[in-house]
Amino acid sequence: GAVVSQHPSRVICKSGTSVKIECRSLDFQATTMFWYRQFPKQSLMLMATSNEGSKATYEQGVEKDKFLINHASLTLSTLTVTSAHPEDSSFYICSARVRKLAGHEQYFGPGTRLTVT
Amino acid sequence: AQSVTQLGSHVSVSEGALVLLRCNYSSSVPPYLFWYVQYPNQGLQLLLKYTSAATLVKGINGFEAEFKKSETSFHLTKPSAHMSDAAEYFCAVTVFSGGYQKVTFGTGTKLQVIP
């Protein structure tokens, strides 16, 4: 089946630094990628939707200058957390959506645990 | 290790009929269970969640789900389907343990509502 990978799986960074998370669709081309974050014991929260070659659409309350999303190709989207703060510590998950004959299919990455110290 | 199985990738119901979307899970530790809905061209939205409190969980739009540990199930139901319920539904199990967090999704069930 289709696989979505995320790298790194865990990252620890210091406050004020930036960290980049990659989301790749390994054996298919994704028309759309979604980025979510999940706090402990909470549900996923959609951060943004990105389509290849166009600017990401951010959900209300998500700072686009802080969470930079680049969808450079049909197999790669990156989320960069700029000037990270401890409150940005969270679990970030991406998903990739592909169009098929019978409709769309969606696959989820394994997530990236970000800890900001 | 954990896993989620959603039986039926496509489910069709008539408007006004009962909706039943099945989800079975396995987890080596007590899980948090979620149902999400996804409308075309949109991201996931939370429908409801089970977090070890009441086993019958009520969510938005008239949906509810019952956690049955003995059956390792968390099926989603709605007494009367509405046309606007047509969407894709994902069941997910999440484990939180100290600094460890893992989310596993089912493969999704597309719900079609027939007028």
Side-chain angles (χ1 to χ4, degrees), chain B residues 53-107:
Chain B
T55 56
L56 181 62
V57 181
K58 294 187 184 297
I60 62 171
N61 302 337
F63 284 94
E64 63 181 38
E66 185 172 8
F67 172 70
K68 292 187 176 181
K69 185 177 179 180
S70 61
E71 299 177 8
T72 61
S73 68
F74 191 57
H75 301 331
L76 181 70
T77 61
K78 181 174 180 177
S80 176
H82 191 272
M83 295 299 295
S84 60
D85 295 327
E88 188 162 18
Y89 294 80
F90 291 89
C91 180
V93 58
T94 302
V95 170
F96 304 97
S97 179
Y100 176 79
Q101 184 168 349
K102 183 172 174 60
V103 184
T104 303
F105 290 89
T107 51

